[in-house]
Amino acid sequence: MADRDAGQPDFAVDLSNCDREPIHVLGIVQPFGFLIALTADWLVSRVSTNSAQFIGLSPQDMLGKPIADLLDGEAIHALRNRITLLRGPDSVERLFSIPLIAGGPSFDVAVHFSGSLVVIEAEPASHDEMEASSTVRSMVARLAQADGMAAFLRDGARQVRALTGFDRVMVYRFAEGGDGEVVAEALKPGIDSFFGLHYPASDIPVQARALYLRNIFRVIADVKSVPVPVVPALDPTGAALDMSLCLTRAVSPIHIEYLGNMGVGASLSISIIVEGKLWGLFACHHYAPRLPTFAQRSAAELFGQIFSMMLESRERAQTAEYEGKARQVADRLLSAVAQDHDLLTNARWLGDIIFDTIPADGVGVYIDGQMTFSGLAPDAPAFVAIVSMLNRVAASQVYTTDSLSSVLPEAAAYADRVSGVLAIPLSRRPRDYVVLFRAEQLRSVRWAGNPEKEIEYGPNGPRLTPRKSFESWSELVKGVALPFLPAELRVAEALRTALLEVILRMSDSADAERQRAHEKQELLIAELNHRVRNILSLIRGLLSQTRDSARSVDEFIGTLESRVHALARAHDQITADRWSPARLYDLIEVESGAYLGERSDRVQLSGPNVLLTPGCFTVLALVIHEMLTNAAKYGALSDSGTVTIDWRVDEDGSLLIDWTESGGPPVVAPTRRGFGSTVIERSIPYDLGGHAEINYRLAGIEAHFCIPAVHVVSVLPDVTATDRTKPAAPVVPGLLKGRNVLLVEDNMIIAMDGEDALRDLGAEVVTAASVGRAHEAIAIQPVDLAVLDFNLGPETSLPIADLLAERGIPFLFATGYGDGLELPSRFEAITLVKKPYSGATLAQALAPVIGVGN
């Protein structure tokens, strides 16, 4: 036998070697920032060697010295204040645009604890004025409208890509064994799709997955950059710095090779955590170096956290709905078997009942040595062997496997009929079972490279080199069934409890066993209560306030429903234009129309066309609703009277509203104060800082409200009859069917709305945020029509318009400048759409451009 080369292993290993790499203590940082670690008494303990590049102080200048002697006093004060906000071992706080050295440049800074050390990381301030909470709120509002899980995941990927600007954003979901699949994707035009590809568990090692739970946001700005050491590497006790939470932490050479093999220049990941477990990742790739601004990264991290909570809520809602239906089936089964014990040995009847909630291909029942079958099932000797195996492993609990041959090798002979098993035990002694069978599910799994590739020696010496090929590699999976899902296992456990109760009625130990089944049922009820507790807490406040003033159940329900509807109507009005200011006139008209129907003309309105902020609009909607409710119950609208609402804007910009009722019955002041009265009298002063006064005159109620100027956005030209009655133009679903439309828009949220509006009209949409990206899109694929945002930040879309005009491609301009935009003379005839535009507005403008209609 030939000798092996020195140092070569005599056995093959796969990518699980990566699991032993200590990636949290590499002791290096990425060069876009620098790191300082401080002891508990604020002495410099460690410094990255590039510190002089940023603040003019080298590690030799800093190590062992008080940080107060090195950095600006105001910066130290800001850092100390921010550190007091750290909560929990994995908390990180951020500061934006603070000078660390007196008279020096500003930095964006992150601080956290690493053991007893305070770790400060800084990078040159980006001076990004993006308001993270507002941006994320808009993104979340769109995400909440996604219909179905696939659309929800896809829209999440789109929004992360729009926010970060990365070429590819994947939603990567982990399976039980640690391998994963790309379940959604958003990518730059012209890039190959990874959607549907599987990756083995070894691609993301165990310790990396553990870090994703602690540090949910990770960016690698430049794969080819040279990392910077942190000195000293070890403290006096010989311990390395734990960099688990470091934003600048560099990457292991193995991972750098991995990304390089994919051609990736920069990467970013956001953890998706559901019920405390790593559900998956937003995995972002860019094919050149890219570092989003500190504010963009903060917004992306916040969006990832909210996305995780929304995903968890959706999964719980789906599970609750499924389990609710399953409990109904369990109750029906329990009732039927309690009346007729022979049904329990009727495999066909059991299959028909159980398959409604737990899909399977067959069922077998084993009771007292007697067997019955229905659907695809093993023969009797094979079933006896399965029951014998269950007696060894099931331990009187629900048992499942998706590969029976892996625990019972002889089962390979009938894997085409039985590969998956879900066994529901019916008793402890003797062991009886209802067993569901699933047949072999032959399927081709598309792996991104061979997951069993053996060791190779790469540029980093005798260590594992990641897979060199990322082409799809398929393997045919045999002897494996579709696995039974966790929700199905919980249903099986509920069925076990239900069936066990019936069986125990037929045994001498019925009382004791029935008590255990009852306890199990109580646990299930407690679990259900826990799941709905959060939902109940959302409405508890409104319920408690409405309850005190209600004199009957019907009144309570009606009042609560009307108040919720009033808020919903107001919300619809302000969200119709993406949470922008809304008209006071519309608020009163919609509320009176909803409440009075055809009698709404008895509410007479007079005043300027005032726009209110969304927050003020919502508060005032509830006040107007309560006033109209009182008028209809006890005041002018309860008889043949009228309500006059006048408003005006005074010299300091405050909005004054006068409410006068006349022609109704005599008014008597109420003897008790309900929630409605509290809303009328306290909402405006408490929430808006304004004033509210209500007088109970004998001839009719008079009320006066003052809304501070800060809530009044503007006063527009007066509302005309045309404004009040003009119907919205209908959206024609097939207007753009079969057409490729280029949408050029530099604002993420507006671009997404435009995409949705164009797709509703039947178009295939390509989106670009700049002139350069638009030229790329036109070069890659045909374009039939274009919608161009005129102003694209530092540039305009005129070069794109010239190219489209040269090629004879129709287009229109969109702008937020309204009538103030002056187009060049060559484009004077081009249609101009004013922002914000709706789908109906866009359809109305596009119809003549493509020659449809007049």
Side-chain angles (χ1 to χ4, degrees):
M1 179 181 294
D3 293 337
R4 286 188 172 269
D5 294 337
Q8 296 282 340
D10 58 0
F11 57 92
V13 294
D14 59 25
L15 284 169
S16 64
N17 288 51
C18 297
D19 291 347
R20 294 195 292 271
E21 191 172 22
I23 60 176
H24 65 299
V25 291
L26 292 177
I28 50 177
V29 298
Q30 299 179 64
F32 67 79
F34 68 98
L35 177 148
I36 302 173
L38 309 176
T39 62
D41 52 355
W42 285 62
L43 298 178
V44 178
S45 172
R46 285 184 172 93
V47 185
S48 61
T49 57
N50 62 344
S51 59
Q53 174 185 337
F54 294 95
I55 58 175
L57 296 172
S58 68
Q60 292 77 12
D61 299 330
M62 302 174 68
L63 287 171
K65 296 181 181 179
I67 194 67
D69 295 345
L70 304 172
L71 302 186
D72 180 67
E74 292 187 8
I76 296 294
H77 179 72
L79 288 169
R80 286 185 181 275
N81 285 342
R82 190 60 56 146
I83 288 171
T84 62
L85 301 178
L86 291 172
R87 297 291 185 271
D90 296 339
S91 177
V92 178
E93 286 291 330
R94 296 170 174 81
L95 299 90
F96 294 87
S97 299
I98 65 168
L100 295 179
I101 302 294
S106 296
F107 292 88
D108 292 331
V109 179
V111 294
H112 70 274
F113 285 114
S114 177
S116 62
L117 299 179
V118 175
V119 177
I120 302 170
E121 297 173 277
E123 61 186 86
S126 58
H127 302 290
D128 187 347
E129 298 180 359
M130 180 186 72
E131 214 288 307
S133 61
S134 175
T135 300
V136 172
R137 182 170 61 246
S138 300
M139 296 167 68
V140 169
R142 286 185 50 82
L143 197 62
Q145 299 172 10
D147 185 15
M149 186 62 74
F152 176 80
L153 298 175
R154 183 172 60 251
D155 203 43
R158 287 173 54 200
Q159 298 205 53
V160 171
R161 179 170 184 263
L163 180 60
T164 63
F166 273 65
D167 290 336
R168 179 198 308 280
V169 175
M170 300 171 285
V171 178
Y172 180 87
R173 180 171 189 172
F174 290 113
E176 285 295 326
D179 58 307
E181 178 185 3
V182 178
V183 294
E185 185 179 47
L187 62 159
K188 174 184 174 182
I191 295 179
D192 290 339
S193 173
F194 287 179
F195 179 74
L197 287 182
H198 288 68
Y199 292 81
S202 52
D203 275 20
I204 301 181
V206 173
Q207 79 277 32
R209 291 197 291 270
L211 278 184
Y212 281 129
L213 274 173
R214 296 190 60 198
N215 190 351
I216 67 172
F217 187 90
R218 187 83 171 99
V219 66
I220 303 171
D222 185 355
V223 167
K224 296 182 179 179
S225 65
V226 178
V228 177
V230 175
V231 294
L234 303 177
D235 66 13
T237 68
L241 176 65
D242 186 340
M243 302 178 67
S244 298
L245 303 181
C246 289
L247 277 62
T248 59
R249 174 167 54 86
V251 191
S252 85
I254 288 183
H255 191 58
I256 290 296
E257 285 184 48
Y258 185 92
L259 294 174
N261 293 338
M262 298 180 75
V264 173
S267 75
L268 183 151
S269 63
I270 308 171
S271 302
I272 303 174
I273 298 172
V274 174
E275 294 184 347
K277 298 180 180 179
L278 188 61
W279 183 95
L281 301 169
F282 283 109
C284 312
H285 290 163
H286 203 69
Y287 292 95
R290 181 168 184 80
L291 179 64
T293 67
F294 207 62
Q296 288 173 327
R297 280 141 54 196
S298 298
E301 181 176 356
L302 176 59
F303 175 75
Q305 291 174 304
I306 297 176
F307 179 90
S308 295
M309 291 187 287
M310 295 177 71
L311 174 61
E312 182 173 331
S313 177
R314 284 189 175 230
E315 288 194 339
R316 284 184 175 179
Q318 290 179 348
T319 300
E321 180 182 5
Y322 167 73
E323 292 183 0
K325 294 178 180 178
R327 277 190 289 273
Q328 295 176 2
V329 172
D331 291 342
R332 189 165 72 248
L333 184 150
L334 179 63
S335 176
V337 174
Q339 299 297 322
D340 184 358
H341 297 162
D342 291 338
L343 287 175
L344 195 58
T345 59
N346 187 331
R348 182 178 297 277
W349 178 84
L350 275 175
D352 290 342
I353 292 291
I354 295 176
F355 294 170
D356 286 342
T357 55
I358 308 177
D361 299 307
V363 62
V365 180
Y366 185 97
I367 296 180
D368 291 334
Q370 302 298 313
M371 294 170 283
T372 57
F373 304 97
S374 178
L376 293 180
D379 56 25
F383 192 35
V384 170
I386 292 173
V387 170
S388 177
M389 181 272 297
L390 291 173
N391 288 338
R392 297 192 303 271
V393 300
S396 299
Q397 299 297 320
V398 170
Y399 173 82
T400 184
T401 178
D402 60 0
S403 178
L404 181 60
S405 59
S406 65
V407 291
L408 190 66
E410 56 265 36
Y414 49 87
D416 57 330
R417 288 171 291 145
V418 177
S419 285
V421 168
L422 174 59
I424 304 174
L426 301 180
S427 59
R428 291 183 181 274
R429 292 180 195 163
R431 296 266 180 98
D432 297 328
Y433 298 93
V434 172
V435 184
L436 303 182
F437 304 117
R438 283 183 178 174
E440 177 182 58
Q441 184 72 26
L442 284 176
R443 64 192 188 277
S444 179
V445 178
R446 298 171 59 235
W447 294 98
N450 190 333
E452 298 177 355
K453 185 178 178 73
E454 293 189 352
I455 193 168
E456 297 176 3
Y457 292 102
N460 294 299
R463 59 192 303 175
L464 194 67
T465 298
R467 288 173 284 116
K468 297 292 186 182
S469 172
F470 285 87
E471 297 176 358
S472 175
W473 183 81
S474 298
E475 71 173 3
L476 194 63
V477 179
K478 296 182 178 181
V480 178
L482 289 177
F484 290 92
L485 301 176
E488 293 171 339
L489 297 181
R490 288 194 292 270
V491 170
E493 180 62 24
L495 288 173
R496 184 188 77 85
T497 302
L499 291 172
L500 182 61
E501 183 174 349
V502 174
I503 296 296
L504 291 177
R505 289 176 183 175
M506 303 160 58
S507 68
D508 294 336
S509 60
D511 290 340
E513 292 295 339
R514 189 180 298 115
Q515 179 62 29
R516 281 192 284 271
H518 176 72
E519 291 172 358
K520 183 63 177 179
Q521 187 178 32
E522 290 297 318
L523 289 175
L524 292 174
I525 294 172
E527 181 182 356
L528 176 63
N529 288 337
H530 174 74
R531 290 182 179 180
V532 303
R533 192 174 295 121
N534 287 339
I535 299 173
L536 294 176
S537 66
L538 295 177
I539 60 173
R540 181 176 56 193
L542 193 56
L543 283 170
S544 62
Q545 295 296 329
T546 304
R547 178 190 59 206
D548 296 338
S549 59
R551 289 170 293 188
S552 69
V553 172
D554 290 341
E555 180 182 350
F556 169 74
I557 294 173
T559 303
L560 179 64
E561 185 176 29
S562 69
R563 286 169 176 163
V564 172
H565 284 177
L567 291 175
R569 286 192 292 272
H571 182 77
D572 288 344
Q573 287 176 269
I574 58 181
T575 55
D577 291 319
R578 294 170 293 278
W579 203 256
S580 59
R583 302 194 306 184
L584 172 63
Y585 186 92
D586 291 342
L587 185 155
I588 301 174
E589 189 175 59
V590 169
E591 188 61 36
S592 59
Y595 199 92
L596 301 175
E598 296 180 355
R599 298 179 298 143
S600 61
D601 58 354
R602 292 170 60 191
V603 179
Q604 300 173 359
L605 311 182
S606 174
N609 191 10
V610 176
L611 285 181
L612 303 176
T613 63
C616 172
F617 195 90
T618 304
V619 171
L620 201 54
L622 201 53
V623 172
I624 296 297
H625 171 77
E626 296 297 337
M627 291 293 293
L628 283 172
T629 300
N630 290 342
K633 286 184 177 180
Y634 318 111
L637 300 181
S638 68
D639 204 338
S640 56
T642 60
V643 173
T644 301
I645 307 176
D646 300 310
W647 62 89
R648 63 190 183 280
V649 178
D650 66 9
E651 295 179 355
D652 69 356
S654 297
L655 175 64
L656 306 178
I657 303 175
D658 297 320
W659 177 291
T660 307
E661 299 184 20
S662 60
V667 172
V668 178
T671 57
R672 65 190 182 96
R673 288 168 51 82
F675 179 56
S677 299
T678 301
V679 168
I680 294 170
E681 296 174 10
R682 295 191 59 190
S683 290
I684 292 175
Y686 189 88
D687 292 324
L688 306 179
H691 176 72
E693 176 186 345
I694 183 166
N695 300 307
Y696 297 92
R697 313 288 188 197
L698 186 63
I701 287 178
E702 293 181 3
H704 307 282
F705 305 104
C706 175
I707 311 297
V710 68
H711 303 291
V712 180
V713 177
S714 61
V715 180
L716 302 179
D718 288 345
V719 179
T720 65
T722 304
D723 293 329
R724 300 172 190 174
T725 59
K726 182 179 179 181
V731 177
V732 182
L735 180 66
L736 301 179
K737 185 175 182 180
R739 297 178 188 266
N740 294 324
V741 179
L742 171 65
L743 174 63
V744 181
E745 171 59 61
D746 65 335
N747 182 279
M748 174 183 67
I749 301 300
I750 297 176
M752 289 182 178
D753 282 338
E755 289 174 358
D756 291 341
L758 291 168
R759 288 193 180 102
D760 288 341
L761 297 173
E764 294 291 331
V765 185
V766 178
T767 306
S770 65
V771 171
R773 293 292 174 86
H775 278 290
E776 291 179 13
I778 295 172
I780 291 173
Q781 58 192 74
V783 174
D784 303 315
L785 178 65
V787 177
L788 310 179
D789 178 16
F790 185 83
N791 190 293
L792 300 173
E795 56 187 356
T796 71
S797 59
L798 288 177
I800 310 171
D802 289 330
L803 177 61
L804 295 172
E806 180 184 331
R807 298 190 178 190
I809 300 173
F811 62 91
L812 58 77
F813 286 111
T815 180
Y817 288 98
D819 296 326
L821 179 66
E822 295 184 5
L823 292 172
S825 58
R826 65 185 184 278
F827 293 133
E828 286 180 350
I830 298 298
T831 302
L832 183 66
V833 177
K834 300 174 186 176
K835 297 179 183 178
Y837 52 76
S838 64
T841 305
L842 206 54
Q844 211 170 24
L846 286 171
V849 173
I850 62 176
V852 177
N854 296 329

